[in-house]
């Protein structure tokens, strides 16, 4: 994936087999020329940069009055030059002004991809996997230097951008806005796709045509949020799941983000992504620097599905880290919906024993194991065991669980504190709160000031002790409130603008230290369900609790939307009891599992309350998942039928092995309809030349054999998989409400 630099024309072309990204330096300024499907590596593409007179546009110089930042597409738009749109960089200089003049100084091409200090980022395992262009711009008058990083990956239709801002002068500066990347488009013939939501209904898919002006998503909650995931895509209006051009943008960040698309009256669109400037002010003394998070841009000529698979592979294999990255995930049982806060040690062991009997591998003790925690009004912050509830201690409980042949996992919520705890009393200055102003609670709890390194040290020491005190194989790291009155009681007035971002850096630091100290432990992130389901978290915790909503029907939408940017292996998904605790719906045990298989899989119910029949069914589900999870979690996912389309009554998706030898197809229908005619769904990703043995799970093979022969990949992809109720003969699995059907496909050699 060369980065070719044509010195005579100052043209930079980053490309691989799938994409090209081109810009050129003119009059000292880098201007964007093209981003999209691969084009030849020509010495220049200057015709894309004509000087044209536009009334009321500001020229770049007296010599080039017909060349304006407004009409040229700046690679790195900065403040004070008449660009007329939101910039990537805004700095208050020693003069008090915001006028910058950053010009090209030098560039360097480095093999591989440099790490971003203190920040999660995509990475390579060998230099041959990527090349990085480091572009240095400077403004000697203002004392500002910028190092812009562009990485192009080999064999992945993806680019990563970030920027380092350096005070290269002798006077203090204040960075008011430092975004991660800018992507420009010469036309606006796109729909913007975003993933809005709220608690228990995270990441729905919303698509709307671009319109003039500003549009986008952002968070001001302190975390990436349930409400607007740090993801947007631009799709051609005709682009679908399987074809057409789509550009996906995803910010590797867990705090307040802003991702905007700015459409000007000249039909050009600018995508900006980065740390939300609204809650960001970063003073820089001479020689100090600020590193932005990175934004990943994916190009797909194969519709949304192609975009998602590029994200899945990049995020699953080169963002997630550690021993669990490539390992099938343990099937777990979590006691939260089984007991909430109301448990005894013996009750936990009974639940675990019933789960072990059906083959479940990991028992997770959720909230409520520590002092003053019989409800959500107290306890967070001290992390001391409630010995009355757990007389054998964590170590004793873990031993009892291990004796059943299961691993033991534990819930923590490090970033929070409740009034009344020791840490609250001893360190009131560790709470984010402006003295004299009202305290602003959320779930009766407050946020510890992780922008203060002393707090991070305290949490590391406390949690290191807790985790090493027992045989712990898994940690669920929760974060259950949005922020309000963000003020660091230990920071100088001039540093208060750093606090929101510095908090997230503190979270990353704590995660980094704990995951390095306990490299064998599987971490799962969580934030009241999916309130911090973002690429930043994935770098530390390879899986995240997708949503507190465990209803199978609701989960179709939640898991579909999440899959736009995140791999199956990252989605925590559990079978829970009915009536469902969030929506009170009763769905069959089969459907609940058929949905939860497409994630990390586990149970969130009282296993002792299962009937014999249910226990046998769960046993079958666990055995099925053990056989198929390698494919499900690490195969390629194809979405087939969207629950966001039409009346949302049907949904289908599938996963295919890398060598196309095996696949698993799931079809879901919420309500039975009457007299609908033929149903079928076209499969994808198979080998069209191959034949596949097709089996429907839970159905007698004789009855299920629709085709009377192995079906060809070609017919399954072009004609489709037959799902008509009447074709099922004696098979009644396809009838009634809340139907789910699962088909395994194995290539016949
Ligand atoms: C959050 C999580 C739940 C559970 C509770 C415990 O809501 O999303 O899964 O852990 O906290 O308080």
């Amino acid at each position: 994936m060369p980065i070719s630099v044509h010195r005579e024309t100052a043209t930079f072309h980053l490309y691989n087999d799938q994409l090209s990204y081109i810009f050129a330096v003119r009059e000292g300024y880098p201007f964007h020329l093209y981003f999209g499907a691969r084009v030849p590596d020509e010495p220049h593409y200057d015709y894309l940069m004509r000087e044209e007179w536009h009334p009321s546009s500001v020229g770049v110089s007296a010599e080039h009055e017909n060349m304006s930042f407004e009409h040229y597409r700046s690679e790195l738009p900065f403040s004070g030059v008449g660009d007329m749109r939101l910039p990537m960089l805004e700095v208050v200089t020693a003069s008090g002004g915001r006028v910058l003049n950053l010009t090209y100084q030098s560039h360097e091409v480095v093999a591989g991809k440099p790490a971003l200090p203190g920040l999660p980022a995509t990475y390579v395992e060998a230099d041959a996997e990527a090349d990085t262009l480091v572009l240095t711009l400077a403004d000697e008058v203002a004392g500002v230097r910028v190092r812009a990083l562009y990485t192009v990956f080999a064999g992945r239709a993806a680019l990563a951008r970030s920027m380092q801002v350096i005070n290269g002068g002798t006077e203090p500066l204040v960075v008011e806005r430092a975004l991660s990347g800018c992507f420009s488009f010469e036309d606006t013939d796109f729909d913007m796709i975003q993933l809005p939501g709220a608690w228990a209904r995270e990441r729905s898919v919303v698509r709307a045509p671009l319109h003039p002006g500003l549009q986008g998503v952002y968070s001001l909650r302190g975390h990436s949020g349930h409400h607007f995931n740090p993801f947007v895509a631009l799709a051609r209006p005709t682009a679908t799941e399987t074809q057409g051009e789509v550009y996906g943008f995803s910010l590797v960040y867990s705090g307040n983000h802003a991702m905007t698309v700015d459409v000007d009256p000249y039909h050009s669109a600018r995508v900006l992504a980065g740390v939300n400037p609204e809650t960001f002010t970063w003073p820089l003394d001479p020689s100090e620097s600020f590193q932005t998070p990175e934004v990943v841009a994916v190009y797909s000529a194969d519709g949304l599905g192609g975009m998602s698979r590029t994200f899945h592979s990049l995020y699953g294999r080169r963002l997630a880290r550690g021993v669990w990255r490539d390992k099938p995930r343990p099937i777990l049982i979590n006691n939260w919906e089984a007991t909430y806060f109301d448990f005894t040690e013996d009750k936990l062991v009974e639940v675990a024993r019933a789960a072990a009997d059906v083959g479940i591998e990991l028992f997770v003790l959720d909230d409520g194991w520590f002092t003053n925690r019989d409800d959500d009004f107290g306890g967070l912050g001290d992390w001391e065991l409630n010995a009355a509830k757990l007389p054998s201690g964590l170590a004793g409980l873990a031993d009892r669980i291990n004796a059943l042949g299961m691993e033991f996992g534990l819930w923590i919520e490090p970033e929070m504190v409740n009034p009344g705890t020791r840490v609250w009393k001893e360190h009131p200055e560790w709470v984010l709160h402006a003295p004299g102003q009202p305290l602003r609670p959320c779930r009766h709890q407050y946020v510890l000031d992780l922008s203060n390194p002393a707090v991070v040290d305290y949490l590391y020491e406390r949690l290191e002790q807790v985790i090493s005190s027992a045989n712990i194989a898994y940690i669920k790291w929760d974060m259950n409130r949005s922020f309000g009155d963000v003020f660091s009681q230990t920071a100088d007035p001039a540093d208060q603008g750093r606090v929101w971002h510095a908090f997230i850096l503190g979270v990353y630091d704590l995660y980094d230290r704990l995951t390095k100290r306990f490299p064998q432990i599987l971490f799962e992130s969580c934030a009241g369900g999916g309130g911090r389901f973002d690429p930043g978290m994935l770098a530390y915790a390879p899986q995240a609790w997708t949503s507190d909503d465990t209803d199978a029907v609701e989960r179709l939408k939640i898991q579909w939307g999440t899959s736009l940017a995140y791999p199956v292996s990252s989605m925590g998904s559990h079978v829970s009891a009915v009536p469902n605790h969030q929506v009170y719906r009763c769905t069959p045990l089969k459907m609940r599992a058929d949905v939860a298989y497409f994630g990390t899989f586990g149970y969130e119910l009282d296993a002792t309350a299962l009937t014999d029949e249910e226990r046998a069914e769960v046993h079958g589900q666990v055995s099925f998942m053990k056989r198929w999870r390698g494919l499900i979690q690490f195969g390629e996912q194809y979405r087939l039928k969207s629950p966001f389309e039409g009346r949302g009554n049907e949904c289908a998706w599938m996963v295919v092995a890398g060598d196309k030898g095996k696949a698993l197809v799931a079809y879901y229908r919420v309500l039975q309809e009457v007299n609908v005619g033929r149903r079928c769904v076209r499969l994808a990703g198979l080998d069209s030349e191959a034949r596949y043995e097709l089996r429907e799970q839970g159905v007698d093979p004789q009855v299920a054999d629709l085709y009377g022969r192995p079906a060809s990949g070609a017919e399954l992809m072009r004609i489709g998989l037959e799902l008509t109720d009447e074709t099922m003969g004696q098979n009644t699995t396809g009838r009634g409400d809340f139907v789910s059907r699962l088909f395994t496909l194995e290539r016949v050699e």
Side-chain angles (χ1 to χ4, degrees):
M1 40 18 299
I3 293 180
S4 119
V5 182
H6 299 277
R7 284 176 185 276
E8 56 300 343
T9 58
T11 300
F12 295 76
H13 185 182
L14 293 76
Y15 63 91
N16 61 25
D17 292 345
Q18 291 124 303
L19 62 79
S20 280
Y21 187 97
I22 307 173
F23 67 89
V25 176
R26 288 293 172 271
E27 300 306 306
Y29 307 110
F31 290 111
H32 184 75
L33 298 181
Y34 174 76
F35 176 28
R38 168 74 196 276
V39 292
D41 184 34
E42 304 292 359
H44 70 83
Y45 280 90
D46 279 357
Y47 63 89
L48 292 172
M49 230 182 339
R50 292 169 305 269
E51 286 194 35
E52 267 172 34
W53 177 73
H54 288 275
S56 73
S57 291
V58 177
V60 301
S61 64
E63 293 76 42
H64 292 280
E65 210 177 325
N66 288 341
M67 178 176 170
S68 74
F69 282 100
E70 184 178 359
H71 297 290
Y72 277 41
R73 288 171 282 151
S74 178
E75 265 303 300
L76 205 155
F78 50 84
S79 55
V81 289
D83 180 289
M84 311 303 174
R85 285 159 290 183
L86 292 177
M88 234 179 107
L89 178 67
E90 188 167 354
V91 177
V92 181
T93 68
S95 68
R98 289 172 159 81
V99 176
L100 298 181
N101 183 38
L102 288 160
T103 56
Y104 169 87
Q105 303 299 309
S106 64
H107 71 270
E108 191 190 349
V109 175
V110 296
K113 183 171 190 289
L116 303 183
L119 286 165
T122 56
Y123 60 90
V124 293
E125 289 197 328
D127 281 352
E129 290 183 13
D131 278 333
T132 299
L133 171 71
V134 186
L135 187 72
T136 303
L137 310 179
D139 176 345
E140 297 305 337
V141 174
V144 179
R145 291 181 82 74
V146 166
R147 276 162 47 89
L149 265 58
Y150 294 78
T151 297
V152 57
F153 295 92
R156 302 179 190 279
L159 292 169
R161 281 193 68 172
S162 67
M163 158 173 94
Q164 187 189 23
V165 186
I166 304 151
N167 183 339
T170 53
E171 304 286 336
L173 302 171
V174 180
V175 183
E176 294 276 341
R177 165 187 281 265
L179 303 185
S180 303
C182 169
F183 300 88
S184 299
F185 295 90
E186 218 183 6
D187 73 279
T188 57
D189 196 17
F190 289 109
D191 292 340
M192 188 182 97
I193 297 173
Q194 53 157 313
L195 303 175
W199 175 79
R201 52 177 174 85
E202 294 88 340
R203 291 173 295 284
S204 56
V205 180
V206 170
R207 179 171 180 160
L210 285 185
H211 58 76
L214 204 58
Q215 50 234 280
V217 297
Y218 64 90
S219 170
L220 288 173
R221 315 184 70 88
H223 51 113
S224 49
H226 302 84
H227 300 73
F228 296 106
N229 200 256
F231 166 87
V232 292
L234 293 185
R236 293 294 177 191
T238 52
T240 64
E241 189 57 38
T242 53
Q243 61 78 38
E245 281 197 314
V246 181
Y247 297 81
F249 303 95
S250 165
L251 187 69
V252 185
Y253 190 56
S254 311
N256 287 349
H257 60 84
M259 302 187 73
T260 53
V261 188
D262 205 340
V263 171
D264 74 6
Y266 304 94
H267 316 295
S268 90
R270 167 182 288 177
V271 177
L272 290 176
V275 174
N276 196 332
E278 200 62 45
T279 50
F280 174 89
T281 305
W282 204 271
L284 283 184
D285 279 336
S287 317
E288 282 184 348
S289 63
F290 175 77
Q291 174 63 54
T292 74
E294 75 177 7
V295 56
V296 173
V298 162
Y299 171 75
S300 167
D302 303 317
L304 285 162
M307 173 201 72
S308 296
R309 282 185 293 281
T310 300
F311 276 121
H312 294 172
S313 148
L314 181 66
Y315 284 178
R317 308 302 305 278
R318 293 294 182 268
L319 176 61
R321 298 180 280 195
V323 296
W324 284 100
R325 184 189 74 183
D326 303 329
K327 274 206 231 172
R329 306 297 161 69
I331 298 172
L332 66 80
I333 184 154
N334 178 305
N335 75 306
W336 180 241
E337 288 195 12
T339 64
Y340 294 101
F341 295 106
D342 184 17
F343 57 80
T344 61
E345 183 179 312
D346 286 341
K347 173 67 188 174
L348 298 177
V349 175
E350 272 172 46
V351 172
R353 180 173 293 112
D357 282 349
V358 290
I360 294 174
E361 299 158 310
L362 166 69
F363 175 83
V364 178
L365 171 54
D366 209 279
D367 197 353
W369 57 267
F370 42 95
T371 45
N372 296 317
R373 193 66 173 175
D374 289 326
D375 52 37
D376 58 10
F377 283 84
L380 298 171
D382 292 347
W383 306 110
E384 268 155 24
L385 180 87
N386 181 340
K389 257 179 168 173
L390 301 175
S392 312
L394 277 183
L397 174 61
D399 289 347
R400 292 181 70 185
I401 302 290
N402 292 161
L404 301 169
M406 288 178 115
E407 301 282 10
F408 176 66
L410 193 66
W411 178 98
I412 55 174
E413 192 180 355
E415 299 146 68
M416 297 295 155
V417 63
N418 283 119
T421 52
R422 188 176 38 73
V423 67
W424 173 273
K425 288 181 201 144
E426 288 177 9
H427 289 288
E429 79 285 7
W430 282 1
V431 179
L432 286 179
H433 168 60
Q437 304 287 14
L439 277 160
R440 312 276 185 199
C442 177
R443 205 194 185 195
H444 329 296
Q445 65 196 50
Y446 299 90
V447 185
L448 287 173
D449 177 9
L450 271 77
S451 75
N452 176 353
V455 176
V456 177
D457 287 344
Y458 160 76
L459 289 170
Y460 175 77
E461 277 153 33
R462 209 47 230 107
L463 294 168
E464 198 274 341
Q465 275 175 13
V466 169
I467 298 171
S468 54
S469 74
N471 186 22
I472 289 175
Y474 161 106
I475 289 287
K476 175 175 172 186
W477 181 319
D478 211 339
M479 200 295 291
N480 277 315
R481 70 157 284 181
S482 295
F483 303 8
D485 46 333
V486 171
F487 182 89
S488 172
Q489 300 184 58
T490 55
D492 289 339
D495 289 326
Q496 291 299 335
R498 297 180 195 251
V499 175
W500 294 86
H501 178 64
F503 175 92
I504 289 293
L505 295 180
V507 173
Y508 290 151
D509 183 29
L510 186 59
Y511 251 114
D512 195 52
R513 288 160 72 178
L514 287 171
T515 50
K516 282 191 174 129
R517 168 70 181 81
F518 300 105
Q520 303 304 323
I521 290 183
L522 171 61
F523 282 76
E524 175 157 348
S525 74
C526 176
R532 206 160 60 181
F533 201 121
D534 61 60
M537 282 292 118
L538 276 190
Y540 305 97
Q543 58 190 61
W545 183 225
T546 315
S547 175
D548 275 345
D549 191 340
T550 52
D551 171 64
V553 175
E554 294 296 307
R555 274 291 184 127
L556 292 174
K557 286 187 172 163
I558 295 169
Q559 291 176 205
W560 179 286
T562 303
S563 79
L564 257 69
Y566 305 97
V568 172
S569 60
S570 68
M571 285 189 238
S573 49
H574 300 168
V575 174
S576 59
V578 290
N580 173 268
H581 292 198
Q582 293 78 39
V583 299
Y584 315 108
R585 184 181 282 129
C586 289
T587 51
L589 185 51
K590 172 172 163 53
M591 184 185 194
R592 283 174 271 154
D594 286 353
V595 176
Y597 289 141
F598 291 83
T600 59
F601 197 65
Y603 292 81
E604 179 118 5
L605 43 68
D606 184 353
T608 64
L610 294 171
T611 63
D612 288 347
E613 202 183 325
E614 286 169 335
R615 205 184 330 279
E617 195 173 344
V618 169
H619 188 262
Q621 293 170 347
V622 170
S623 313
F624 174 83
M625 188 59 179
K626 285 180 182 170
R627 240 185 0 265
W628 287 88
R629 64 184 156 185
L631 168 70
I632 294 176
Q633 292 168 355
F634 302 101
E636 299 217 307
Q637 190 189 22
Y638 291 83
R639 292 178 298 255
L640 305 174
K641 204 167 196 29
S642 171
F644 292 99
E645 272 163 26
R647 296 195 296 120
N649 198 42
E650 291 173 288
C651 174
W653 51 48
M654 68 187 287
V655 284
V656 183
D659 69 357
K660 299 182 187 292
K662 282 188 184 169
L664 180 68
V665 181
Y667 166 80
Y668 312 91
R669 191 184 65 229
V670 179
L671 296 180
Q672 171 78 67
E673 294 159 307
V674 172
N675 195 20
V676 283
R678 182 166 176 251
R679 285 179 207 278
C680 76
V681 62
R682 282 182 175 190
L683 306 191
L686 300 173
D687 175 357
S688 55
E689 302 298 314
R691 286 186 174 274
Y692 292 90
E693 194 77 64
L694 184 75
R695 288 197 192 86
E696 181 167 4
Q697 288 306 297
V699 175
D700 178 338
Q702 300 298 318
V703 175
D705 188 8
L706 289 181
Y707 296 80
R709 54 176 163 74
S712 71
E715 70 183 310
L716 290 167
M717 293 193 290
R718 294 170 196 162
I719 300 175
L721 173 66
E722 193 62 39
L723 294 163
T724 309
D725 299 359
E726 282 65 31
T727 62
M728 300 315 297
Q730 305 154 38
N731 168 17
T732 51
T733 59
R735 296 193 175 149
D737 294 341
F738 309 124
V739 161
S740 61
R741 298 173 65 182
L742 214 55
F743 301 86
T744 58
L745 277 74
E746 293 188 69
R747 183 163 46 203
V748 183
E749 297 301 341

